[in-house]
Each structure stands twice: as C-alpha cells, then as structure tokens.
Amino acid sequence: ESFRVRLGDRNVPIAVELALEGMRVGGVRTVEMPPSLGFQTSGWEPAPSNFSGKQRMDRYRALLTGNGLQKGYKANILFEVEVVRIRPTNGSTTTARGQRE
C-alpha cells in the first residue's frame, strides 16, 4: 500500500519518519520499530485497509497490552519502506510504500 507522508505530521510511526529522512526516490529501508517509536506515536495510523492487515494489527496491539490474563510485552515490528515519489513543498512531503512483516 502507498501512503502520503509529510515528515513531522506524525501520521506514521516516528520510527518510519526517521527512516524516511534522507532517502531518495527508489530507496528501500527495513525499519525495526520498538513500541516506544511505533504505532502508539501515530495514534495507530496508518490503519490497514484489508481484513488480514486489520487482524494482524489487532494481534500486535494485544501483544503490547496483554489479554487480561497475561501481561503485555515489548514486541518490535518490522516494516519495509520505499520512497516512490518526493514532492517538495514548503515542508517535506514523501510518498512511501510500506509493508508490514
């Protein structure tokens, strides 16, 4: 999936924003996100658009928060990001394609 990202808007996790800094069109990076720099920093956005992606996101959130019987734990998540297009404006705007692993 492709997402329009403006660095600093916090519409993606901070770890992804940090990985996008300095990238050029066609660049690909794998990002390992600890919970402290992950989806909690962006309000759990961007939300997956398909059913299986939503299920994976729900399972990941349950790992972090626990299930009532078990305490949650700090689970890292891997992301691969690719810069598809850069549109310079007053701020930095980058369109990135992200894949959860």
Side-chain angles (χ1 to χ4, degrees):
E1 294 182 58
S2 294
F3 303 101
R4 182 170 291 165
V5 176
R6 180 174 295 205
L7 298 179
D9 280 357
R10 303 254 174 138
N11 58 349
V12 293
I14 291 175
V16 174
E17 282 194 20
L18 293 173
L20 288 172
E21 288 181 10
M23 287 183 70
R24 296 178 183 201
V25 173
V28 177
R29 288 187 183 164
T30 300
V31 184
E32 183 174 354
M33 290 190 297
S36 61
L37 297 176
F39 284 101
Q40 296 156 327
T41 63
S42 66
W44 293 91
E45 294 295 328
S49 60
N50 60 23
F51 180 74
S52 64
K54 290 176 185 179
Q55 283 187 319
R56 284 194 305 257
M57 182 69 86
D58 289 342
R59 283 195 304 267
Y60 178 65
R61 190 183 310 207
L63 282 175
L64 295 179
T65 59
N67 63 8
L69 300 174
Q70 273 184 289
K71 191 170 99 171
Y73 64 94
K74 297 180 180 178
N76 290 355
I77 190 168
L78 291 176
F79 244 82
E80 186 175 90
V81 294
E82 174 186 1
V83 175
V84 177
R85 179 178 46 201
I86 297 176
R87 292 189 321 166
T89 60
N90 295 339
S92 297
T93 302
T94 303
T95 301
R97 181 176 296 136
Q99 295 178 331
R100 293 177 190 89
E101 292 185 359

